[in-house]
Amino acid sequence: MIPLRSLLKEIGGTTLFVGEVIRTGIKNPCPFEDFTDQIWKVTTQSLPTTAVAGFFVGAIMTVQFALLTKAFGALGYLGGLSTSGTIREVGPLLIALLLSGKVGAFTSAELGTMQVTEQIDAIRCLGANPIQEIILPRYIGIVISSFFLLAAGLFMSVFGGIFMGYLFAGINPEEYVRHIPTMVTGYSILNGLFKSFVFAVVLASICTYKGYTTTGGARGVGRAVVATAVTTMVGIVVADWFTSFLSDAFLQIYLGERM
């Protein structure tokens, strides 16, 4: 009963917090330079890691699909199958989990330190709104930059697949790329980008909420960072299930209308 009550409390607190951030953004938007600075900061810090992770995600998927396609004599379709699976499902999930540990933990630690050292209280004493001054720029910056980082990671996964297809299965890049358009449809790309956006929102919501509500001094900051990492990973997995269910429902409706 206690864990369930705590879970509902966290979900409710995060929902109310995000609602307050949205209301603040509508009524009192932050200066344009503030969230562009956050976008640049998050992107430059995480782009190399995301690119490398995306490359190896594509490579891993290619190895797995190569074993299956070789067994059925369909090695020519390796590029299309691997890229489709990576863009639709595996790529967004794995890269988002990586960003949750890098971007999410860093943001939570930064905001948590500001909270326990009373910097946020000082902003209130000066008559400013801390949600507008420090939360909103970070929230928007994380959502936008994480979305583009995920998209960049998925793009790099194609090159990882090409490299591993040539190295592991002996498929030249031209043959690997030739079947990608037959397997990767516009719906697959939109599905991957939709998942990336949802994961970015989940990441930004949890890490800013956990950091903003940190208590207990330096030890509390450590607990907030750990809680952010765990909660974000669970939230992203749940969001992946929900978006997969939603995407499949829309696909069935779309196919039904076409028939």
Side-chain angles (χ1 to χ4, degrees):
M1 182 63 68
I2 294 178
L4 178 60
R5 183 182 301 174
S6 177
L7 175 62
L8 294 176
K9 181 180 178 181
E10 289 295 319
I11 294 174
T14 305
T15 303
L16 293 174
F17 175 78
V18 172
E20 185 177 357
V21 172
I22 294 174
R23 286 193 299 270
T24 302
I26 295 174
K27 295 180 180 178
N28 302 299
C30 61
F32 182 77
E33 294 79 8
D34 289 352
F35 69 81
T36 53
D37 289 343
Q38 290 296 322
I39 293 173
W40 176 255
K41 181 180 178 180
V42 174
T43 302
T44 54
Q45 288 179 344
S46 304
L47 183 59
T49 305
T50 306
V52 172
F55 182 89
F56 282 101
V57 166
I60 293 169
M61 290 294 292
T62 298
V63 171
Q64 297 301 317
F65 276 105
L67 297 174
L68 295 175
T69 54
K70 186 180 295 185
F72 289 95
L75 201 58
Y77 292 94
L78 175 62
L81 291 172
S82 175
T83 305
S84 178
T86 302
I87 290 178
R88 289 191 59 181
E89 294 293 339
V90 180
L93 178 62
L94 293 182
I95 297 172
L97 292 176
L98 175 71
L99 288 177
S100 71
K102 186 174 181 65
V103 178
F106 175 82
T107 303
S108 178
E110 183 183 33
L111 293 174
T113 302
M114 296 177 68
Q115 182 69 267
V116 300
T117 56
E118 300 181 351
Q119 296 180 49
I120 294 179
D121 292 334
I123 293 175
R124 291 193 184 95
C125 291
L126 293 173
N129 184 358
I131 297 292
Q132 180 187 8
E133 296 294 330
I134 63 173
I135 300 298
L136 187 60
R138 285 170 173 78
Y139 190 92
I140 297 176
I142 291 172
V143 169
I144 295 176
S145 60
S146 296
F147 173 74
F148 284 111
L149 284 169
L150 285 164
L154 293 178
F155 179 75
M156 287 300 299
S157 69
V158 177
F159 291 96
I162 293 173
F163 174 76
M164 191 54 66
Y166 176 77
L167 189 67
F168 184 78
I171 299 179
N172 63 68
E174 182 180 357
E175 184 180 359
Y176 185 95
V177 174
R178 183 163 57 92
H179 286 287
I180 291 180
T182 61
M183 298 286 184
V184 182
T185 62
Y187 171 78
S188 300
I189 297 175
L190 290 177
N191 184 67
L193 294 178
F194 173 65
K195 283 178 176 287
S196 299
F197 177 75
V198 173
F199 296 162
V201 172
V202 171
L203 171 61
S205 300
I206 294 176
C207 71
T208 52
Y209 171 72
K210 287 292 186 180
Y212 187 72
T213 57
T214 299
T215 57
R219 183 176 295 181
V221 174
R223 288 196 298 264
V225 171
V226 173
T228 298
V230 174
T231 307
T232 304
M233 290 181 184
V234 174
I236 288 174
V237 171
V238 173
D240 183 51
W241 169 82
F242 178 76
T243 52
S244 297
F245 177 79
L246 193 63
S247 299
D248 289 342
F250 276 116
L251 180 62
Q252 293 298 326
I253 294 173
Y254 175 73
L255 292 177
E257 291 179 351
R258 293 196 63 179
M259 292 177 63

